[in-house]
Amino acid sequence: MLINLLSDTVTKPTLGMLQAMFQAEVGDDVFGEDPTVNALEAKAAALFGKEAALFCPSGTMTNQIALKVHTQPLDEVICDEYSHIYQYEVGGYAFHSGIGINLIKGTNGKITAEQVAAAIKLDYDWLPKSSLVVLENTANKGGGSYYTLDEIRPIHDLCKERDLKLHLDGARIFNALVETGEATQAVGTLFDSISICLSKGLGTPVGSVLIGNQVFIKKSRRVRKVMGGGMRQAGYLAAAGIYALDNHVQRLKEDNNRAKQIAQVLQTLHYVSNVRPVQTNILIFDVNSPYTAATYLEKLLQHDIKATAFGPQTIRFVTHLDFTEEMLEKVLKVIGDW
Ligand SMILES: *Cc1c(COP(=O)(O)O)cnc(C)c1O
C-alpha cells in the first residue's frame, strides 16, 4: 500500500467520477458547444455569485490569464513572497504579461491591508504602476493557512479605493471554507476574479476554473486560446469537475482533520521541531539531527510513504481524497516509532 503525501494533486478519479465522465455529453468547446463544459462554467460562476467562468487545463493557466487580463505591460502585481504566481509559475507574470512583481513579506503566506497600502506605488512616470493584488487562499507555501472574510474585506476596500483589481488564487479555497463555514457567494463579492482548482483536493484528473464578470471572461477566453488552452470535447473532464463540486467539497474537512492529527503526533516526537500551525490539509515541519529532509524522506519511502522536502531540514505532507483512515493509522504508527 503506497501512501502518497506528496501533494493533493496525486488523486485518481473515483468510480462515481469515472461514471460521470463516461456519461458526459460533449461537443466542441472552442465553438462554445460542449454542454458539459458550459454546465460546469455556469455552476462555478453561480457558486461564487459571478456572471461567468472559464474551464482551463491548469491553475497556472487560470492565474496567468487573470494577470494578463487585469494588467498592462509595465504594471506590477502585489502579492506575498510565497505566492504560487511568484514561486511556481515559471516567472510567467513577466513572460506573458510584461509586468513586474512587488513582493510582501507576509505571515504564513498571508498579507494585510496595511502592508498592501504601503506597497502601492505612487503615480510617477518612472515607477511601475501597481494595478493588481493577488491573495492566495489557502496559502500553499504558507503551510495551508487561510484568510477569513474579515481579513480580506479591508484589502478589498483598499483596492476599490485605489483602483486596483483583486484576484483570488483559490486553488484550495474549499479547504478554507469548510473550516470557516463562510459562503462562496460572500467570497465572490470581494474579488474581481477567482481561480479554483478541481485537480487538488476535489480529486479530478485535470482542470481549473476562472470566474469573473462577463467582460473579464470574454477577454480571458481569447487569452486562453493564445496560450493553447482551447480544448475540444473537454466535457469529459468538465463532468469530473461537476461531480467533484457536488460530492467532494464537504469531505475536505476529513483531509484537514487528518493533517491536524498527524501534526499532533509530530509535536510529541524528539526528532521533530517547528511544526507549523495546521489550518487545513498542508503540514510543514522540520526534522532534526540525525535526520536531514533527504534522509527522512528516504526512511519514509522504505515504509511506502512518499512526501516532499520543503528545505534542507523541512518536510511537507499534504492530505487528500486518496489518503484513507487506514493510511493515516499506518503513518501515525510509522513516524511515532522512530
Ligand atoms: C496547484 C496550485 C496552483 C495551480 O497549479 P497547476 O498545477 O498549474 O494546476 C495555483 N495556485 C496554488 C496556490 C496552487 O497550489
Side-chain angles (χ1 to χ4, degrees):
M1 177 172 70
L2 178 76
I3 299 178
N4 196 337
L5 296 169
L6 268 182
S7 170
D8 46 9
T9 55
V10 302
T11 58
K12 295 183 184 154
T14 60
L15 196 57
M17 183 178 282
L18 283 172
Q19 276 163 353
M21 294 170 76
F22 264 118
Q23 287 160 10
E25 230 188 289
V26 297
D28 190 330
D29 180 52
V30 171
F31 295 115
E33 287 179 354
D34 187 303
T36 309
V37 172
N38 293 341
L40 170 65
E41 291 176 346
K43 188 181 180 71
L47 190 59
F48 286 89
K50 293 283 195 204
E51 292 172 358
L54 186 68
F55 183 47
C56 292
S58 72
T60 298
M61 188 180 284
T62 45
N63 279 337
Q64 291 298 316
I65 291 172
L67 297 182
K68 179 78 186 155
V69 174
H70 286 314
T71 66
Q72 294 296 319
L74 310 183
D75 287 357
E76 71 173 14
V77 52
I78 296 171
C79 61
D80 184 88
E81 63 182 355
Y82 283 169
S83 298
H84 196 276
I85 59 163
Y86 175 62
Q87 297 280 346
Y88 303 120
E89 298 185 12
V90 211
Y93 58 92
F95 182 76
H96 295 298
S97 301
I99 61 174
I101 197 155
N102 186 348
L103 299 174
I104 293 177
K105 214 177 245 322
T107 307
N108 299 325
K110 290 168 55 189
I111 56 179
T112 64
E114 290 70 31
Q115 288 178 309
V116 175
I120 296 173
K121 292 205 164 64
L122 296 173
D123 182 11
Y124 288 123
D125 286 348
W126 53 87
L127 294 181
K129 182 175 188 298
S130 307
S131 60
L132 175 65
V133 175
V134 174
L135 302 185
E136 192 171 304
N137 198 19
T138 67
N140 177 351
K141 200 174 159 73
S145 59
Y146 60 77
Y147 290 89
T148 62
L149 291 175
D150 283 342
E151 290 172 314
I152 298 169
R153 207 167 286 113
I155 300 175
H156 160 270
D157 294 348
L158 174 71
C159 288
K160 275 274 169 298
E161 186 189 313
R162 303 291 296 271
D163 197 25
L164 275 74
K165 294 284 192 256
L166 184 58
H167 171 71
L168 172 63
D169 179 351
R172 297 188 179 83
I173 183 65
F174 298 107
N175 287 87
L177 296 181
V178 295
E179 292 299 315
T180 63
E182 293 167 340
T184 44
Q185 270 93 355
V187 175
T189 62
L190 297 179
F191 292 92
D192 295 291
S193 57
I194 297 169
S195 160
I196 62 168
C197 282
L198 303 169
S199 61
K200 299 272 166 82
L202 294 182
T204 79
V206 178
S208 287
V209 184
L210 183 60
I211 302 163
N213 68 25
Q214 292 283 5
V215 173
F216 171 81
I217 293 298
K218 187 164 164 45
K219 289 179 185 166
S220 295
R221 261 190 100 83
R222 286 176 60 80
V223 178
R224 182 185 67 173
K225 187 66 181 149
V226 78
M227 287 179 171
M231 298 182 285
R232 302 294 179 176
Q233 284 71 34
Y236 293 116
L237 300 173
I242 292 170
Y243 182 88
L245 288 172
D246 286 339
N247 296 282
H248 291 171
V249 172
Q250 287 315 314
R251 65 149 307 284
L252 291 171
K253 187 86 186 160
E254 291 171 32
D255 299 343
N256 295 351
N257 287 343
R258 285 182 185 133
K260 287 173 198 174
Q261 277 176 269
I262 301 174
Q264 272 173 3
V265 170
L266 284 171
Q267 258 145 11
T268 67
L269 303 177
H270 64 90
Y271 63 85
V272 170
S273 61
N274 195 14
V275 181
R276 315 297 195 269
V278 180
Q279 290 200 299
T280 55
N281 69 326
I282 298 174
L283 169 52
I284 299 176
F285 61 96
D286 295 339
V287 288
N288 304 321
S289 164
Y291 296 113
T292 63
T295 61
Y296 189 68
L297 288 177
E298 229 169 81
K299 188 151 169 134
L300 285 173
L301 203 53
Q302 284 165 9
H303 294 264
D304 289 331
I305 300 168
K306 263 194 186 177
T308 187
F310 242 48
Q313 295 294 139
T314 308
I315 302 285
R316 185 186 80 167
F317 289 168
V318 187
T319 58
H320 52 74
L321 182 61
D322 289 356
F323 178 64
T324 61
E325 197 64 28
E326 187 191 356
M327 293 177 183
L328 171 70
E329 275 160 31
K330 178 168 170 194
V331 168
L332 294 181
K333 186 167 173 329
V334 166
I335 60 176
D337 271 355
W338 299 342

